[in-house]
PDB file of all heavy atoms in Angstrom:
ATOM      1  N   VAL A   1      -2.724   6.385   4.883  1.00 98.00           N
ATOM      2  CA  VAL A   1      -3.493   6.144   3.647  1.00 98.00           C
ATOM      3  C   VAL A   1      -2.679   6.728   2.415  1.00 98.00           C
ATOM      4  O   VAL A   1      -2.494   6.146   1.367  1.00 98.00           O
ATOM      5  CB  VAL A   1      -4.834   6.868   3.757  1.00 98.00           C
ATOM      6  CG1 VAL A   1      -5.519   6.913   2.316  1.00 98.00           C
ATOM      7  CG2 VAL A   1      -5.776   5.927   4.513  1.00 98.00           C
ATOM      8  N   LEU A   2      -2.119   7.948   2.621  1.00 98.00           N
ATOM      9  CA  LEU A   2      -1.338   8.530   1.586  1.00 98.00           C
ATOM     10  C   LEU A   2      -0.047   7.770   1.305  1.00 98.00           C
ATOM     11  O   LEU A   2       0.376   7.616   0.154  1.00 98.00           O
ATOM     12  CB  LEU A   2      -1.070  10.006   1.899  1.00 98.00           C
ATOM     13  CG  LEU A   2      -2.230  11.005   1.824  1.00 98.00           C
ATOM     14  CD1 LEU A   2      -1.911  12.333   2.638  1.00 98.00           C
ATOM     15  CD2 LEU A   2      -2.631  11.168   0.427  1.00 98.00           C
ATOM     16  N   LEU A   3       0.642   7.312   2.404  1.00 98.00           N
ATOM     17  CA  LEU A   3       1.720   6.500   2.057  1.00 98.00           C
ATOM     18  C   LEU A   3       1.391   5.209   1.374  1.00 98.00           C
ATOM     19  O   LEU A   3       2.139   4.743   0.533  1.00 98.00           O
ATOM     20  CB  LEU A   3       2.334   6.120   3.451  1.00 98.00           C
ATOM     21  CG  LEU A   3       3.159   7.170   4.220  1.00 98.00           C
ATOM     22  CD1 LEU A   3       3.775   6.683   5.529  1.00 98.00           C
ATOM     23  CD2 LEU A   3       4.373   7.679   3.338  1.00 98.00           C
ATOM     24  N   ALA A   4       0.257   4.617   1.677  1.00 98.00           N
ATOM     25  CA  ALA A   4      -0.282   3.443   1.007  1.00 98.00           C
ATOM     26  C   ALA A   4      -0.476   3.729  -0.520  1.00 98.00           C
ATOM     27  O   ALA A   4      -0.136   2.900  -1.307  1.00 98.00           O
ATOM     28  CB  ALA A   4      -1.598   2.841   1.624  1.00 98.00           C
ATOM     29  N   LEU A   5      -1.023   4.852  -0.840  1.00 97.00           N
ATOM     30  CA  LEU A   5      -1.237   5.216  -2.254  1.00 97.00           C
ATOM     31  C   LEU A   5       0.124   5.382  -2.994  1.00 97.00           C
ATOM     32  O   LEU A   5       0.312   5.017  -4.121  1.00 97.00           O
ATOM     33  CB  LEU A   5      -2.052   6.546  -2.358  1.00 97.00           C
ATOM     34  CG  LEU A   5      -3.523   6.325  -2.069  1.00 97.00           C
ATOM     35  CD1 LEU A   5      -4.285   7.689  -2.021  1.00 97.00           C
ATOM     36  CD2 LEU A   5      -4.216   5.391  -3.047  1.00 97.00           C
ATOM     37  N   HIS A   6       1.051   5.996  -2.212  1.00 96.00           N
ATOM     38  CA  HIS A   6       2.448   6.070  -2.813  1.00 96.00           C
ATOM     39  C   HIS A   6       2.988   4.716  -3.040  1.00 96.00           C
ATOM     40  O   HIS A   6       3.628   4.410  -4.127  1.00 96.00           O
ATOM     41  CB  HIS A   6       3.351   6.837  -1.919  1.00 96.00           C
ATOM     42  CG  HIS A   6       3.324   8.300  -2.149  1.00 96.00           C
ATOM     43  ND1 HIS A   6       3.991   9.012  -3.027  1.00 96.00           N
ATOM     44  CD2 HIS A   6       2.603   9.289  -1.355  1.00 96.00           C
ATOM     45  CE1 HIS A   6       3.820  10.251  -2.993  1.00 96.00           C
ATOM     46  NE2 HIS A   6       2.938  10.487  -2.044  1.00 96.00           N
ATOM     47  N   ALA A   7       2.836   3.806  -2.101  1.00 96.00           N
ATOM     48  CA  ALA A   7       3.389   2.510  -2.288  1.00 96.00           C
ATOM     49  C   ALA A   7       2.738   1.725  -3.358  1.00 96.00           C
ATOM     50  O   ALA A   7       3.303   0.944  -4.140  1.00 96.00           O
ATOM     51  CB  ALA A   7       3.273   1.635  -0.927  1.00 96.00           C
ATOM     52  N   TYR A   8       1.352   1.946  -3.558  1.00 96.00           N
ATOM     53  CA  TYR A   8       0.632   1.358  -4.642  1.00 96.00           C
ATOM     54  C   TYR A   8       1.094   1.846  -6.020  1.00 96.00           C
ATOM     55  O   TYR A   8       1.227   1.112  -6.963  1.00 96.00           O
ATOM     56  CB  TYR A   8      -0.896   1.631  -4.434  1.00 96.00           C
ATOM     57  CG  TYR A   8      -1.737   0.773  -5.354  1.00 96.00           C
ATOM     58  CD1 TYR A   8      -1.828  -0.558  -5.248  1.00 96.00           C
ATOM     59  CD2 TYR A   8      -2.511   1.447  -6.306  1.00 96.00           C
ATOM     60  CE1 TYR A   8      -2.670  -1.247  -6.015  1.00 96.00           C
ATOM     61  CE2 TYR A   8      -3.297   0.703  -7.240  1.00 96.00           C
ATOM     62  CZ  TYR A   8      -3.332  -0.679  -7.078  1.00 96.00           C
ATOM     63  OH  TYR A   8      -4.201  -1.414  -7.920  1.00 96.00           O
ATOM     64  N   GLN A   9       1.336   3.181  -6.084  1.00 92.00           N
ATOM     65  CA  GLN A   9       1.886   3.738  -7.268  1.00 92.00           C
ATOM     66  C   GLN A   9       3.298   3.163  -7.617  1.00 92.00           C
ATOM     67  O   GLN A   9       3.497   2.823  -8.791  1.00 92.00           O
ATOM     68  CB  GLN A   9       2.099   5.247  -7.042  1.00 92.00           C
ATOM     69  CG  GLN A   9       2.696   6.041  -8.230  1.00 92.00           C
ATOM     70  CD  GLN A   9       1.660   6.412  -9.287  1.00 92.00           C
ATOM     71  OE1 GLN A   9       0.424   6.158  -9.039  1.00 92.00           O
ATOM     72  NE2 GLN A   9       2.151   7.006 -10.387  1.00 92.00           N
ATOM     73  N   GLU A  10       4.133   2.896  -6.653  1.00 90.00           N
ATOM     74  CA  GLU A  10       5.355   2.200  -6.847  1.00 90.00           C
ATOM     75  C   GLU A  10       5.237   0.769  -7.245  1.00 90.00           C
ATOM     76  O   GLU A  10       6.032   0.295  -7.999  1.00 90.00           O
ATOM     77  CB  GLU A  10       6.158   2.328  -5.509  1.00 90.00           C
ATOM     78  CG  GLU A  10       7.654   1.848  -5.632  1.00 90.00           C
ATOM     79  CD  GLU A  10       8.493   2.833  -6.525  1.00 90.00           C
ATOM     80  OE1 GLU A  10       8.058   3.958  -6.635  1.00 90.00           O
ATOM     81  OE2 GLU A  10       9.496   2.334  -7.048  1.00 90.00           O
ATOM     82  N   ALA A  11       4.165   0.066  -6.715  1.00 88.00           N
ATOM     83  CA  ALA A  11       4.006  -1.288  -6.975  1.00 88.00           C
ATOM     84  C   ALA A  11       3.706  -1.585  -8.440  1.00 88.00           C
ATOM     85  O   ALA A  11       3.983  -2.768  -8.931  1.00 88.00           O
ATOM     86  CB  ALA A  11       2.872  -1.949  -6.134  1.00 88.00           C
ATOM     87  N   ARG A  12       3.314  -0.634  -9.195  1.00 78.00           N
ATOM     88  CA  ARG A  12       2.963  -0.921 -10.630  1.00 78.00           C
ATOM     89  C   ARG A  12       4.156  -1.209 -11.415  1.00 78.00           C
ATOM     90  O   ARG A  12       4.001  -1.728 -12.537  1.00 78.00           O
ATOM     91  CB  ARG A  12       2.190   0.297 -11.205  1.00 78.00           C
ATOM     92  CG  ARG A  12       3.156   1.537 -11.526  1.00 78.00           C
ATOM     93  CD  ARG A  12       2.402   2.736 -11.910  1.00 78.00           C
ATOM     94  NE  ARG A  12       3.280   3.821 -12.155  1.00 78.00           N
ATOM     95  CZ  ARG A  12       3.260   4.509 -13.349  1.00 78.00           C
ATOM     96  NH1 ARG A  12       2.532   4.107 -14.400  1.00 78.00           N
ATOM     97  NH2 ARG A  12       4.085   5.501 -13.405  1.00 78.00           N
ATOM     98  N   TRP A  13       5.361  -0.921 -10.982  1.00 72.00           N
ATOM     99  CA  TRP A  13       6.588  -1.247 -11.734  1.00 72.00           C
ATOM    100  C   TRP A  13       7.084  -2.614 -11.543  1.00 72.00           C
ATOM    101  O   TRP A  13       7.944  -2.992 -12.085  1.00 72.00           O
ATOM    102  CB  TRP A  13       7.756  -0.241 -11.193  1.00 72.00           C
ATOM    103  CG  TRP A  13       7.397   1.219 -11.440  1.00 72.00           C
ATOM    104  CD1 TRP A  13       7.060   2.157 -10.462  1.00 72.00           C
ATOM    105  CD2 TRP A  13       7.368   1.871 -12.650  1.00 72.00           C
ATOM    106  NE1 TRP A  13       6.921   3.331 -11.049  1.00 72.00           N
ATOM    107  CE2 TRP A  13       7.099   3.240 -12.337  1.00 72.00           C
ATOM    108  CE3 TRP A  13       7.671   1.537 -14.043  1.00 72.00           C
ATOM    109  CZ2 TRP A  13       7.011   4.172 -13.392  1.00 72.00           C
ATOM    110  CZ3 TRP A  13       7.568   2.490 -15.036  1.00 72.00           C
ATOM    111  CH2 TRP A  13       7.182   3.756 -14.711  1.00 72.00           C
ATOM    112  N   ARG A  14       6.372  -3.366 -10.687  1.00 77.00           N
ATOM    113  CA  ARG A  14       6.803  -4.754 -10.315  1.00 77.00           C
ATOM    114  C   ARG A  14       5.679  -5.724 -10.572  1.00 77.00           C
ATOM    115  O   ARG A  14       4.552  -5.377 -10.347  1.00 77.00           O
ATOM    116  CB  ARG A  14       7.362  -4.763  -8.964  1.00 77.00           C
ATOM    117  CG  ARG A  14       8.618  -3.926  -8.682  1.00 77.00           C
ATOM    118  CD  ARG A  14       8.953  -3.863  -7.187  1.00 77.00           C
ATOM    119  NE  ARG A  14      10.141  -3.050  -7.087  1.00 77.00           N
ATOM    120  CZ  ARG A  14      10.183  -1.732  -6.840  1.00 77.00           C
ATOM    121  NH1 ARG A  14       8.954  -1.113  -6.776  1.00 77.00           N
ATOM    122  NH2 ARG A  14      11.299  -1.096  -6.752  1.00 77.00           N
ATOM    123  N   SER A  15       5.954  -7.025 -10.807  1.00 73.00           N
ATOM    124  CA  SER A  15       4.989  -8.017 -10.980  1.00 73.00           C
ATOM    125  C   SER A  15       4.747  -8.763  -9.729  1.00 73.00           C
ATOM    126  O   SER A  15       5.539  -8.699  -8.784  1.00 73.00           O
ATOM    127  CB  SER A  15       5.409  -8.898 -12.088  1.00 73.00           C
ATOM    128  OG  SER A  15       6.656  -9.606 -11.803  1.00 73.00           O
ATOM    129  N   GLY A  16       3.639  -9.494  -9.726  1.00 75.00           N
ATOM    130  CA  GLY A  16       3.362 -10.378  -8.558  1.00 75.00           C
ATOM    131  C   GLY A  16       2.612  -9.650  -7.427  1.00 75.00           C
ATOM    132  O   GLY A  16       2.409  -8.455  -7.502  1.00 75.00           O
ATOM    133  N   TRP A  17       2.288 -10.447  -6.371  1.00 84.00           N
ATOM    134  CA  TRP A  17       1.570  -9.820  -5.214  1.00 84.00           C
ATOM    135  C   TRP A  17       2.502  -9.233  -4.174  1.00 84.00           C
ATOM    136  O   TRP A  17       2.057  -8.390  -3.465  1.00 84.00           O
ATOM    137  CB  TRP A  17       0.672 -10.925  -4.569  1.00 84.00           C
ATOM    138  CG  TRP A  17      -0.469 -10.294  -3.836  1.00 84.00           C
ATOM    139  CD1 TRP A  17      -1.692  -9.992  -4.271  1.00 84.00           C
ATOM    140  CD2 TRP A  17      -0.422  -9.883  -2.507  1.00 84.00           C
ATOM    141  NE1 TRP A  17      -2.423  -9.417  -3.364  1.00 84.00           N
ATOM    142  CE2 TRP A  17      -1.707  -9.380  -2.188  1.00 84.00           C
ATOM    143  CE3 TRP A  17       0.514  -9.928  -1.449  1.00 84.00           C
ATOM    144  CZ2 TRP A  17      -2.011  -8.887  -0.997  1.00 84.00           C
ATOM    145  CZ3 TRP A  17       0.161  -9.461  -0.164  1.00 84.00           C
ATOM    146  CH2 TRP A  17      -1.048  -8.918   0.046  1.00 84.00           C
ATOM    147  N   ARG A  18       3.759  -9.699  -4.139  1.00 89.00           N
ATOM    148  CA  ARG A  18       4.654  -9.225  -3.134  1.00 89.00           C
ATOM    149  C   ARG A  18       4.864  -7.670  -3.061  1.00 89.00           C
ATOM    150  O   ARG A  18       4.908  -7.176  -1.903  1.00 89.00           O
ATOM    151  CB  ARG A  18       6.051  -9.940  -3.272  1.00 89.00           C
ATOM    152  CG  ARG A  18       7.041  -9.569  -2.125  1.00 89.00           C
ATOM    153  CD  ARG A  18       8.312 -10.436  -2.272  1.00 89.00           C
ATOM    154  NE  ARG A  18       8.038 -11.867  -2.181  1.00 89.00           N
ATOM    155  CZ  ARG A  18       8.980 -12.755  -2.276  1.00 89.00           C
ATOM    156  NH1 ARG A  18      10.190 -12.450  -2.560  1.00 89.00           N
ATOM    157  NH2 ARG A  18       8.666 -14.067  -2.212  1.00 89.00           N
ATOM    158  N   PRO A  19       4.904  -7.022  -4.119  1.00 90.00           N
ATOM    159  CA  PRO A  19       4.979  -5.537  -4.029  1.00 90.00           C
ATOM    160  C   PRO A  19       3.780  -4.905  -3.312  1.00 90.00           C
ATOM    161  O   PRO A  19       3.930  -3.738  -2.921  1.00 90.00           O
ATOM    162  CB  PRO A  19       5.139  -5.100  -5.502  1.00 90.00           C
ATOM    163  CG  PRO A  19       5.649  -6.305  -6.193  1.00 90.00           C
ATOM    164  CD  PRO A  19       5.084  -7.449  -5.494  1.00 90.00           C
ATOM    165  N   LEU A  20       2.714  -5.570  -3.371  1.00 95.00           N
ATOM    166  CA  LEU A  20       1.447  -5.033  -2.643  1.00 95.00           C
ATOM    167  C   LEU A  20       1.457  -5.210  -1.191  1.00 95.00           C
ATOM    168  O   LEU A  20       0.631  -4.556  -0.488  1.00 95.00           O
ATOM    169  CB  LEU A  20       0.197  -5.657  -3.219  1.00 95.00           C
ATOM    170  CG  LEU A  20      -0.143  -5.377  -4.692  1.00 95.00           C
ATOM    171  CD1 LEU A  20      -1.321  -6.169  -5.111  1.00 95.00           C
ATOM    172  CD2 LEU A  20      -0.444  -3.890  -4.846  1.00 95.00           C
ATOM    173  N   LEU A  21       2.464  -6.044  -0.634  1.00 96.00           N
ATOM    174  CA  LEU A  21       2.459  -6.284   0.815  1.00 96.00           C
ATOM    175  C   LEU A  21       2.734  -4.960   1.592  1.00 96.00           C
ATOM    176  O   LEU A  21       2.029  -4.710   2.637  1.00 96.00           O
ATOM    177  CB  LEU A  21       3.592  -7.241   1.109  1.00 96.00           C
ATOM    178  CG  LEU A  21       3.705  -7.649   2.634  1.00 96.00           C
ATOM    179  CD1 LEU A  21       2.367  -8.244   3.107  1.00 96.00           C
ATOM    180  CD2 LEU A  21       4.866  -8.623   2.833  1.00 96.00           C
ATOM    181  N   PRO A  22       3.628  -4.023   1.130  1.00 96.00           N
ATOM    182  CA  PRO A  22       3.718  -2.729   1.885  1.00 96.00           C
ATOM    183  C   PRO A  22       2.445  -2.015   1.902  1.00 96.00           C
ATOM    184  O   PRO A  22       2.132  -1.341   2.942  1.00 96.00           O
ATOM    185  CB  PRO A  22       4.894  -2.068   1.164  1.00 96.00           C
ATOM    186  CG  PRO A  22       5.678  -3.060   0.518  1.00 96.00           C
ATOM    187  CD  PRO A  22       4.677  -4.165   0.147  1.00 96.00           C
ATOM    188  N   VAL A  23       1.716  -2.068   0.805  1.00 97.00           N
ATOM    189  CA  VAL A  23       0.363  -1.315   0.724  1.00 97.00           C
ATOM    190  C   VAL A  23      -0.471  -1.918   1.811  1.00 97.00           C
ATOM    191  O   VAL A  23      -1.188  -1.074   2.452  1.00 97.00           O
ATOM    192  CB  VAL A  23      -0.199  -1.509  -0.657  1.00 97.00           C
ATOM    193  CG1 VAL A  23      -1.394  -0.569  -0.857  1.00 97.00           C
ATOM    194  CG2 VAL A  23       0.841  -1.066  -1.745  1.00 97.00           C
ATOM    195  N   LEU A  24      -0.549  -3.246   1.868  1.00 97.00           N
ATOM    196  CA  LEU A  24      -1.473  -3.855   2.793  1.00 97.00           C
ATOM    197  C   LEU A  24      -1.121  -3.496   4.243  1.00 97.00           C
ATOM    198  O   LEU A  24      -1.953  -3.200   5.120  1.00 97.00           O
ATOM    199  CB  LEU A  24      -1.490  -5.343   2.595  1.00 97.00           C
ATOM    200  CG  LEU A  24      -2.457  -6.167   3.481  1.00 97.00           C
ATOM    201  CD1 LEU A  24      -3.902  -5.807   3.232  1.00 97.00           C
ATOM    202  CD2 LEU A  24      -2.257  -7.630   3.280  1.00 97.00           C
ATOM    203  N   LEU A  25       0.180  -3.509   4.530  1.00 98.00           N
ATOM    204  CA  LEU A  25       0.687  -3.182   5.896  1.00 98.00           C
ATOM    205  C   LEU A  25       0.352  -1.772   6.287  1.00 98.00           C
ATOM    206  O   LEU A  25      -0.060  -1.473   7.378  1.00 98.00           O
ATOM    207  CB  LEU A  25       2.139  -3.401   6.004  1.00 98.00           C
ATOM    208  CG  LEU A  25       2.639  -4.943   5.937  1.00 98.00           C
ATOM    209  CD1 LEU A  25       4.075  -4.987   5.939  1.00 98.00           C
ATOM    210  CD2 LEU A  25       1.994  -5.727   7.079  1.00 98.00           C
ATOM    211  N   LEU A  26       0.566  -0.778   5.328  1.00 98.00           N
ATOM    212  CA  LEU A  26       0.214   0.539   5.521  1.00 98.00           C
ATOM    213  C   LEU A  26      -1.335   0.803   5.733  1.00 98.00           C
ATOM    214  O   LEU A  26      -1.746   1.598   6.498  1.00 98.00           O
ATOM    215  CB  LEU A  26       0.732   1.394   4.471  1.00 98.00           C
ATOM    216  CG  LEU A  26       2.209   1.573   4.309  1.00 98.00           C
ATOM    217  CD1 LEU A  26       2.671   2.177   2.934  1.00 98.00           C
ATOM    218  CD2 LEU A  26       2.667   2.518   5.479  1.00 98.00           C
ATOM    219  N   PHE A  27      -2.083  -0.052   5.009  1.00 98.00           N
ATOM    220  CA  PHE A  27      -3.626  -0.018   5.211  1.00 98.00           C
ATOM    221  C   PHE A  27      -3.945  -0.451   6.593  1.00 98.00           C
ATOM    222  O   PHE A  27      -4.769   0.176   7.227  1.00 98.00           O
ATOM    223  CB  PHE A  27      -4.191  -0.965   4.123  1.00 98.00           C
ATOM    224  CG  PHE A  27      -5.637  -1.128   4.256  1.00 98.00           C
ATOM    225  CD1 PHE A  27      -6.496  -0.105   4.670  1.00 98.00           C
ATOM    226  CD2 PHE A  27      -6.234  -2.336   3.898  1.00 98.00           C
ATOM    227  CE1 PHE A  27      -7.889  -0.236   4.757  1.00 98.00           C
ATOM    228  CE2 PHE A  27      -7.617  -2.459   4.010  1.00 98.00           C
ATOM    229  CZ  PHE A  27      -8.438  -1.494   4.499  1.00 98.00           C
ATOM    230  N   ILE A  28      -3.312  -1.475   7.077  1.00 98.00           N
ATOM    231  CA  ILE A  28      -3.588  -1.957   8.395  1.00 98.00           C
ATOM    232  C   ILE A  28      -3.233  -0.907   9.464  1.00 98.00           C
ATOM    233  O   ILE A  28      -3.907  -0.580  10.410  1.00 98.00           O
ATOM    234  CB  ILE A  28      -2.806  -3.268   8.685  1.00 98.00           C
ATOM    235  CG1 ILE A  28      -3.369  -4.419   7.852  1.00 98.00           C
ATOM    236  CG2 ILE A  28      -2.946  -3.628  10.158  1.00 98.00           C
ATOM    237  CD1 ILE A  28      -2.596  -5.652   7.952  1.00 98.00           C
ATOM    238  N   ALA A  29      -2.040  -0.223   9.241  1.00 98.00           N
ATOM    239  CA  ALA A  29      -1.625   0.829  10.143  1.00 98.00           C
ATOM    240  C   ALA A  29      -2.646   1.960  10.112  1.00 98.00           C
ATOM    241  O   ALA A  29      -3.024   2.512  11.143  1.00 98.00           O
ATOM    242  CB  ALA A  29      -0.249   1.312   9.740  1.00 98.00           C
ATOM    243  N   ALA A  30      -3.146   2.353   8.908  1.00 98.00           N
ATOM    244  CA  ALA A  30      -4.168   3.421   8.812  1.00 98.00           C
ATOM    245  C   ALA A  30      -5.435   3.008   9.535  1.00 98.00           C
ATOM    246  O   ALA A  30      -5.998   3.834  10.361  1.00 98.00           O
ATOM    247  CB  ALA A  30      -4.431   3.671   7.329  1.00 98.00           C
ATOM    248  N   GLY A  31      -5.827   1.725   9.381  1.00 97.00           N
ATOM    249  CA  GLY A  31      -7.046   1.227  10.151  1.00 97.00           C
ATOM    250  C   GLY A  31      -6.824   1.260  11.610  1.00 97.00           C
ATOM    251  O   GLY A  31      -7.781   1.450  12.419  1.00 97.00           O
ATOM    252  N   MET A  32      -5.606   1.053  12.156  1.00 97.00           N
ATOM    253  CA  MET A  32      -5.375   1.067  13.539  1.00 97.00           C
ATOM    254  C   MET A  32      -5.285   2.522  14.091  1.00 97.00           C
ATOM    255  O   MET A  32      -5.236   2.764  15.302  1.00 97.00           O
ATOM    256  CB  MET A  32      -3.975   0.369  13.822  1.00 97.00           C
ATOM    257  CG  MET A  32      -3.993  -1.121  13.586  1.00 97.00           C
ATOM    258  SD  MET A  32      -2.463  -1.890  13.708  1.00 97.00           S
ATOM    259  CE  MET A  32      -2.150  -1.763  15.414  1.00 97.00           C
ATOM    260  N   ALA A  33      -5.205   3.470  13.198  1.00 97.00           N
ATOM    261  CA  ALA A  33      -5.203   4.927  13.585  1.00 97.00           C
ATOM    262  C   ALA A  33      -6.734   5.480  13.624  1.00 97.00           C
ATOM    263  O   ALA A  33      -7.083   6.116  14.505  1.00 97.00           O
ATOM    264  CB  ALA A  33      -4.382   5.690  12.688  1.00 97.00           C
ATOM    265  N   LYS A  34      -7.521   5.018  12.582  1.00 96.00           N
ATOM    266  CA  LYS A  34      -8.842   5.375  12.497  1.00 96.00           C
ATOM    267  C   LYS A  34      -9.563   4.486  11.564  1.00 96.00           C
ATOM    268  O   LYS A  34      -9.155   4.213  10.449  1.00 96.00           O
ATOM    269  CB  LYS A  34      -9.040   6.858  12.035  1.00 96.00           C
ATOM    270  CG  LYS A  34     -10.448   7.343  12.042  1.00 96.00           C
ATOM    271  CD  LYS A  34     -10.478   8.861  11.691  1.00 96.00           C
ATOM    272  CE  LYS A  34     -11.890   9.395  11.854  1.00 96.00           C
ATOM    273  NZ  LYS A  34     -11.963  10.869  11.525  1.00 96.00           N
ATOM    274  N   PRO A  35     -10.808   3.948  11.907  1.00 94.00           N
ATOM    275  CA  PRO A  35     -11.452   2.937  11.114  1.00 94.00           C
ATOM    276  C   PRO A  35     -11.865   3.538   9.744  1.00 94.00           C
ATOM    277  O   PRO A  35     -12.294   2.773   8.850  1.00 94.00           O
ATOM    278  CB  PRO A  35     -12.757   2.549  11.920  1.00 94.00           C
ATOM    279  CG  PRO A  35     -12.269   2.782  13.310  1.00 94.00           C
ATOM    280  CD  PRO A  35     -11.365   4.017  13.293  1.00 94.00           C
ATOM    281  N   MET A  36     -11.897   4.777   9.554  1.00 95.00           N
ATOM    282  CA  MET A  36     -12.290   5.414   8.263  1.00 95.00           C
ATOM    283  C   MET A  36     -11.415   4.874   7.199  1.00 95.00           C
ATOM    284  O   MET A  36     -11.697   4.998   5.971  1.00 95.00           O
ATOM    285  CB  MET A  36     -12.257   6.942   8.355  1.00 95.00           C
ATOM    286  CG  MET A  36     -12.861   7.604   7.204  1.00 95.00           C
ATOM    287  SD  MET A  36     -12.786   9.445   7.309  1.00 95.00           S
ATOM    288  CE  MET A  36     -13.856   9.733   8.685  1.00 95.00           C
ATOM    289  N   ALA A  37     -10.290   4.256   7.504  1.00 96.00           N
ATOM    290  CA  ALA A  37      -9.370   3.753   6.495  1.00 96.00           C
ATOM    291  C   ALA A  37     -10.023   2.612   5.716  1.00 96.00           C
ATOM    292  O   ALA A  37      -9.467   2.189   4.665  1.00 96.00           O
ATOM    293  CB  ALA A  37      -8.072   3.275   7.102  1.00 96.00           C
TER     294      ALA A  37
END
């Protein structure tokens, strides 16, 4: 989750949806560790 927030902070420097893909993948990883994500 914290890595996802870092990736989201980084994505603000770029346009489009593609920079959000790492955020989504980290979100999925967090959910695979605990559903509280």
Side-chain angles (χ1 to χ4, degrees):
V1 164
L2 288 166
L3 284 178
L5 287 173
H6 273 278
Y8 191 67
Q9 178 85 3
E10 187 71 23
R12 74 186 179 123
W13 299 105
R14 299 175 176 86
S15 61
W17 201 91
R18 185 174 296 179
L20 291 175
L21 184 58
V23 187
L24 185 62
L25 293 176
L26 288 165
F27 175 35
I28 294 171
M32 292 172 70
K34 188 175 183 179
M36 192 181 290

